[in-house]
Amino acid sequence: MFCENCGKQVPQGSLFCDGCGAKMDVQQQNVQQPVYTAPQQYRPQPQYGAPVMTVGQYIIMFLLLAVPLLNIFLIFKWSFGRDVNPNKKNLARTILITGIVMGILSAVMGATLTNILNDILSQMQ
Ligand SMILES: [Zn+2]
Protein backbone atom coordinates (compact mmCIF):
# COMPACT_ATOMS: atom_id res chain seq x y z
CA MET A 1 0.00 0.00 0.00
CA PHE A 2 1.07 3.57 -0.57
CA CYS A 3 0.73 6.77 1.48
CA GLU A 4 -1.95 9.08 0.06
CA ASN A 5 0.03 12.09 1.27
CA CYS A 6 3.57 11.45 -0.01
CA GLY A 7 3.19 8.34 -2.14
CA LYS A 8 5.76 6.30 -0.17
CA GLN A 9 5.18 2.59 0.01
CA VAL A 10 4.41 1.54 3.57
CA PRO A 11 4.02 -1.96 5.03
CA GLN A 12 0.55 -3.43 4.94
CA GLY A 13 -1.39 -2.67 8.11
CA SER A 14 0.58 0.47 9.07
CA LEU A 15 -1.45 3.09 10.92
CA PHE A 16 0.91 5.94 9.97
CA CYS A 17 3.18 6.55 7.01
CA ASP A 18 6.81 6.03 8.04
CA GLY A 19 7.87 8.65 5.43
CA CYS A 20 5.72 11.69 6.31
CA GLY A 21 3.84 10.49 9.36
CA ALA A 22 0.39 10.96 7.83
CA LYS A 23 -2.41 8.82 9.17
CA MET A 24 -3.10 5.95 6.82
CA ASP A 25 -6.58 5.41 5.44
CA VAL A 26 -7.97 2.66 7.60
CA GLN A 27 -10.87 2.07 5.21
CA GLN A 28 -8.48 1.37 2.38
CA GLN A 29 -6.48 -1.00 4.56
CA ASN A 30 -9.53 -2.94 5.52
CA VAL A 31 -10.43 -3.45 1.89
CA GLN A 32 -6.95 -4.69 1.06
CA GLN A 33 -6.65 -6.99 4.04
CA PRO A 34 -7.82 -10.54 3.55
CA VAL A 35 -11.34 -11.11 4.70
CA TYR A 36 -11.31 -12.51 8.20
CA THR A 37 -13.29 -15.66 8.42
CA ALA A 38 -14.36 -16.75 11.86
CA PRO A 39 -13.38 -20.32 12.71
CA GLN A 40 -16.22 -22.74 12.42
CA GLN A 41 -17.72 -22.86 15.84
CA TYR A 42 -19.08 -26.03 17.33
CA ARG A 43 -22.82 -25.99 17.26
CA PRO A 44 -24.77 -28.86 18.78
CA GLN A 45 -26.46 -30.82 16.04
CA PRO A 46 -30.17 -30.18 15.87
CA GLN A 47 -32.14 -33.05 17.23
CA TYR A 48 -33.55 -35.18 14.50
CA GLY A 49 -35.23 -38.53 14.40
CA ALA A 50 -36.60 -40.30 17.39
CA PRO A 51 -36.41 -38.90 20.88
CA VAL A 52 -34.30 -40.73 23.44
CA MET A 53 -36.28 -43.32 25.34
CA THR A 54 -36.71 -42.61 29.02
CA VAL A 55 -36.03 -45.04 31.85
CA GLY A 56 -39.78 -45.25 32.43
CA GLN A 57 -40.36 -46.33 28.82
CA TYR A 58 -37.66 -49.01 29.13
CA ILE A 59 -39.21 -50.26 32.39
CA ILE A 60 -42.65 -50.52 30.74
CA MET A 61 -40.99 -52.34 27.83
CA PHE A 62 -39.34 -54.88 30.14
CA LEU A 63 -42.53 -55.36 32.19
CA LEU A 64 -44.43 -56.14 28.98
CA LEU A 65 -41.64 -58.55 27.99
CA ALA A 66 -42.15 -60.40 31.28
CA VAL A 67 -45.61 -61.50 30.08
CA PRO A 68 -45.39 -64.93 28.42
CA LEU A 69 -46.46 -65.17 24.75
CA LEU A 70 -47.18 -61.42 24.67
CA ASN A 71 -43.39 -60.88 24.84
CA ILE A 72 -42.78 -62.97 21.70
CA PHE A 73 -45.48 -61.02 19.85
CA LEU A 74 -44.11 -57.69 21.04
CA ILE A 75 -40.50 -58.56 20.15
CA PHE A 76 -41.53 -59.25 16.56
CA LYS A 77 -43.84 -56.22 16.48
CA TRP A 78 -41.07 -53.93 17.78
CA SER A 79 -38.36 -55.53 15.64
CA PHE A 80 -40.12 -55.27 12.30
CA GLY A 81 -43.07 -52.93 12.88
CA ARG A 82 -43.38 -49.48 11.36
CA ASP A 83 -43.23 -46.27 13.35
CA VAL A 84 -41.31 -47.93 16.17
CA ASN A 85 -38.79 -45.81 18.06
CA PRO A 86 -35.35 -46.86 16.69
CA ASN A 87 -34.09 -47.35 20.24
CA LYS A 88 -36.95 -49.72 20.96
CA LYS A 89 -36.48 -51.41 17.57
CA ASN A 90 -32.75 -51.98 18.13
CA LEU A 91 -33.31 -53.28 21.64
CA ALA A 92 -36.09 -55.61 20.43
CA ARG A 93 -33.81 -56.93 17.65
CA THR A 94 -30.99 -57.43 20.14
CA ILE A 95 -33.30 -59.40 22.43
CA LEU A 96 -34.57 -61.40 19.44
CA ILE A 97 -31.05 -62.27 18.20
CA THR A 98 -29.65 -63.11 21.63
CA GLY A 99 -32.83 -65.06 22.37
CA ILE A 100 -32.37 -67.16 19.23
CA VAL A 101 -28.66 -67.71 20.03
CA MET A 102 -29.46 -68.66 23.63
CA GLY A 103 -32.24 -70.94 22.42
CA ILE A 104 -29.90 -72.76 20.02
CA LEU A 105 -27.20 -73.00 22.70
CA SER A 106 -29.57 -74.36 25.33
CA ALA A 107 -31.01 -76.83 22.81
CA VAL A 108 -27.52 -78.09 21.93
CA MET A 109 -26.45 -78.22 25.56
CA GLY A 110 -29.72 -79.85 26.56
CA ALA A 111 -29.31 -82.52 23.88
CA THR A 112 -25.69 -83.11 24.90
CA LEU A 113 -26.64 -83.36 28.54
CA THR A 114 -29.49 -85.76 27.73
CA ASN A 115 -27.08 -87.97 25.77
CA ILE A 116 -24.58 -87.99 28.64
CA LEU A 117 -27.30 -88.84 31.15
CA ASN A 118 -28.63 -91.61 28.89
CA ASP A 119 -25.10 -93.06 28.60
CA ILE A 120 -24.66 -93.01 32.37
CA LEU A 121 -28.10 -94.57 32.93
CA SER A 122 -27.50 -97.29 30.35
CA GLN A 123 -24.15 -98.16 31.92
CA MET A 124 -25.76 -98.46 35.36
CA GLN A 125 -28.22 -101.08 34.08
ZN1 LIG B 1 3.55 9.65 3.62
Side-chain angles (χ1 to χ4, degrees):
M1 57 189 292
F2 297 92
C3 171
E4 284 182 351
N5 190 40
C6 68
K8 189 179 187 293
Q9 188 172 6
V10 291
Q12 184 76 262
S14 300
L15 293 174
F16 298 96
C17 171
D18 52 13
C20 68
K23 199 170 187 290
M24 299 304 293
D25 190 356
V26 179
Q27 282 289 323
Q28 190 196 338
Q29 285 189 29
N30 283 345
V31 170
Q32 288 173 349
Q33 279 169 357
V35 178
Y36 174 74
T37 48
Q40 274 213 324
Q41 284 185 324
Y42 170 75
R43 266 184 241 100
Q45 289 289 315
Q47 276 230 333
Y48 59 92
V52 171
M53 276 180 65
T54 63
V55 172
Q57 284 173 303
Y58 278 118
I59 289 172
I60 291 168
M61 200 177 164
F62 278 97
L63 285 176
L64 287 171
L65 290 176
V67 182
L69 295 177
L70 177 68
N71 54 8
I72 296 167
F73 168 75
L74 285 175
I75 283 296
F76 279 96
K77 182 179 175 287
W78 290 334
S79 293
F80 307 110
R82 284 184 181 182
D83 300 326
V84 178
N85 184 308
N87 302 310
K88 188 181 269 188
K89 183 167 276 193
N90 286 338
L91 181 58
R93 286 176 175 181
T94 305
I95 292 168
L96 181 63
I97 291 164
T98 52
I100 290 168
V101 170
M102 295 296 271
I104 292 168
L105 280 177
S106 62
V108 169
M109 287 173 78
T112 309
L113 210 64
T114 308
N115 285 340
I116 291 168
L117 283 174
N118 281 338
D119 282 352
I120 291 168
L121 287 173
S122 62
Q123 280 171 7
M124 284 167 74
Q125 283 168 356

